């Protein structure tokens, strides 16, 4: 693939390498470091003049440092005369702060969109945005990909009774995602309505749907402290489900998450590799990882060739 450069930020170099391998490319040279006062320094190690540049960086771990590193890398490539700079951000930072839900609350996802645009990004590729309206925060093209093909494949290959399963949304916001997967599998779906008294703490849950004598598969985009997922699993078992799995796109697993998963009644917690999971897997045998590098690589290939990625989620070769 001529006139294309793939750069990796420091947040998830393993995923960047898998994307490059899928495209048959070498990762381009970049050096990132911090000065003694903790300012981020980026040095692009090769010419990007007239090149189609893709920078892979994720919004997890040291989120603010990773975001600043991405902004500097975008700007460095832009002022070095790259023809186009695309930020590949599988897990979008601040995505859960997407609306003004109380007085004087910020819309931080919009702020991040502004920062990426001002830094010089011409295009954004991301995956399973927490809220699809975030695409509207940008004045540049945004491709929001879906982990759905990889999720469907995992279900069919790892759950023998998948034809008698039920797909469950742990909250109303995930209803569209769940109904799409249920339709593709030709199975039923259910919904859990949850009420919160404050962020990251669920006060009450109500199950809408019949899960009795079925394998229940919880599907969501993000799991952070895992209070919702573990509470939902208990609710499903008490309603008669035979087994409960959780499939998540972005496994953040902060705070008490690993302890909760280990003590929960979940058969497995399946996540994509939009976020590194090696350290988490050492402390929790229930965590399994689905690779999505092939989806991101195909999006990059189609973008570089000027092709549409609108139907990529249903046609990507796995």
């Amino acid at each position: 693939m001529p006139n294309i450069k793939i750069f990796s930020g420091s947040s998830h170099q393993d995923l960047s390498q898998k994307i490059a391998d899928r495209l048959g490319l070498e990762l381009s040279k970049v050096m990132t470091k911090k000065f003694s006062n903790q300012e981020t320094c980026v040095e692009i190690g090769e010419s990007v003049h007239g090149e189609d540049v893709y920078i892979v960086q994720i919004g997890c771990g040291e989120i603010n440092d990773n975001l600043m590193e991405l902004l500097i890398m975008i700007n460095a490539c832009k002022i070095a005369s790259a023809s186009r700079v695309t930020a590949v951000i599988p897990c979008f930072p601040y995505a859960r702060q997407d609306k003004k839900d109380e007085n004087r609350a910020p819309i931080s996802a919009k702020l991040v969109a502004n920062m990426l645009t001002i830094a010089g990004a011409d295009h954004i590729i991301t995956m399973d945005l927490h809220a699809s309206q975030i695409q509207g925060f940008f004045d540049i093209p945004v491709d929001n990909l879906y982990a759905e093909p990889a999720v469907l494949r995992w279900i069919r290959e790892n759950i023998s009774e998948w034809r008698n399963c039920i797909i469950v949304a742990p909250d109303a916001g995930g209803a569209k995602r769940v109904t799409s997967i249920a339709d593709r599998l030709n199975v039923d779906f259910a919904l859990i309505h949850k009420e919160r008294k404050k962020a990251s703490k669920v006060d009450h849950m109500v199950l809408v749907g019949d899960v009795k004598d079925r394998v229940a598969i919880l599907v969501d985009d993000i799991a952070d402290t895992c209070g919702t997922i573990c509470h939902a699993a208990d609710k499903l078992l008490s309603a008669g489900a035979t087994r409960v799995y959780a499939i998540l796109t972005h496994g953040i697993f902060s705070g008490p998450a690993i302890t909760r998963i280990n003590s929960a009644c979940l058969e497995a917690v399946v996540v994509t590799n939009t976020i590194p999971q090696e350290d988490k897997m050492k402390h929790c045998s229930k965590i399994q990882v689905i690779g999505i590098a092939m989806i991101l690589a195909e999006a990059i290939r189609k973008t570089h060739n000027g092709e549409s990625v609108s139907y990529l989620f249903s046609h990507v070769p796995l």
Side-chain angles (χ1 to χ4, degrees):
M1 298 176 68
N3 304 113
I4 183 171
K5 301 282 187 180
I6 308 289
F7 289 95
S8 175
S10 60
S11 61
H12 199 345
Q13 293 184 345
D14 180 64
L15 177 60
S16 303
Q17 187 63 61
K18 285 182 168 65
I19 292 171
D21 290 344
R22 185 82 178 188
L23 293 169
L25 300 171
E26 296 289 335
L27 285 175
S28 297
K29 297 176 183 178
V30 60
M31 184 177 72
T32 59
K33 62 182 181 180
K34 288 186 180 296
F35 293 121
S36 60
N37 66 350
Q38 297 305 300
E39 286 184 0
T40 298
C41 175
V42 172
E43 295 180 12
I44 304 299
E46 55 191 82
S47 174
V48 295
H49 184 85
E51 301 281 1
D52 191 9
V53 172
Y54 295 82
I55 302 172
V56 183
Q57 182 80 310
I58 58 172
C60 72
E62 300 293 333
I63 295 177
N64 296 329
D65 284 351
N66 290 340
L67 176 58
M68 196 66 206
E69 181 181 285
L70 174 61
L71 296 171
I72 294 172
M73 289 179 72
I74 291 170
N75 189 251
C77 290
K78 197 67 178 179
I79 63 177
S81 300
S83 66
R84 177 174 60 179
V85 179
T86 299
V88 182
I89 317 172
C91 182
F92 194 85
Y94 293 90
R96 287 175 289 178
Q97 298 184 46
D98 61 306
K99 58 185 179 293
K100 189 177 178 69
D101 52 6
E102 59 183 49
N103 292 335
R104 298 176 297 281
I107 307 177
S108 302
K110 170 61 175 172
L111 175 61
V112 172
N114 290 343
M115 292 166 68
L116 288 165
T117 303
I118 291 171
D122 299 295
H123 181 207
I124 304 293
I125 296 175
T126 187
M127 177 166 280
D128 278 353
L129 279 172
H130 183 65
S132 58
Q133 68 262 22
I134 292 174
Q135 295 172 87
F137 294 168
F138 289 87
D139 294 323
I140 58 176
V142 178
D143 284 317
N144 180 30
L145 308 178
Y146 300 93
E148 185 176 299
V151 169
L152 290 167
R153 181 178 182 180
W154 190 93
I155 291 173
R156 291 183 177 120
E157 292 182 352
N158 293 275
I159 301 178
S160 58
E161 312 98 311
W162 67 266
R163 290 179 177 83
N164 189 42
C165 74
I166 185 166
I167 312 297
V168 185
D171 55 39
K176 184 176 180 180
R177 181 181 302 106
V178 163
T179 53
S180 177
I181 292 174
D183 288 345
R184 298 280 296 276
L185 293 173
N186 195 28
V187 298
D188 294 331
F189 68 92
L191 172 69
I192 293 177
H193 172 67
K194 65 182 181 183
E195 298 176 357
R196 295 182 186 270
K197 284 190 174 178
K198 59 182 180 179
S200 300
K201 186 172 182 180
V202 177
D203 182 56
H204 185 61
M205 282 187 166
V206 177
L207 174 63
V208 181
D210 183 12
V211 300
K212 185 173 177 59
D213 298 326
R214 291 183 176 184
V215 174
I217 304 175
L218 284 160
V219 177
D220 207 356
D221 62 329
I222 296 176
D224 189 354
T225 58
C226 291
T228 296
I229 290 294
C230 293
H231 193 174
D234 290 337
K235 187 74 176 178
L236 292 169
L237 275 187
S238 65
T242 57
R243 285 182 294 162
V244 181
Y245 294 83
I247 303 181
L248 317 157
T249 304
H250 311 298
I252 299 174
F253 301 146
S254 67
I258 297 301
T259 301
R260 286 173 172 173
I261 293 172
N262 282 328
S263 59
C265 56
L266 290 159
E267 295 289 322
V269 176
V270 184
V271 295
T272 72
N273 61 339
T274 57
I275 296 173
Q277 298 296 341
E278 288 77 11
D279 290 341
K280 302 293 193 305
M281 293 174 71
K282 292 176 183 177
H283 299 96
C284 182
S285 60
K286 293 181 181 180
I287 296 176
Q288 299 183 33
V289 176
I290 301 173
I292 46 79
M294 74 293 287
I295 299 176
L296 294 169
E298 188 69 6
I300 290 173
R301 185 188 68 79
K302 284 182 174 290
T303 300
H304 178 66
N305 292 335
E307 302 173 21
S308 172
V309 300
S310 298
Y311 300 100
L312 180 62
F313 69 94
S314 61
H315 294 86
V316 64
L318 296 175

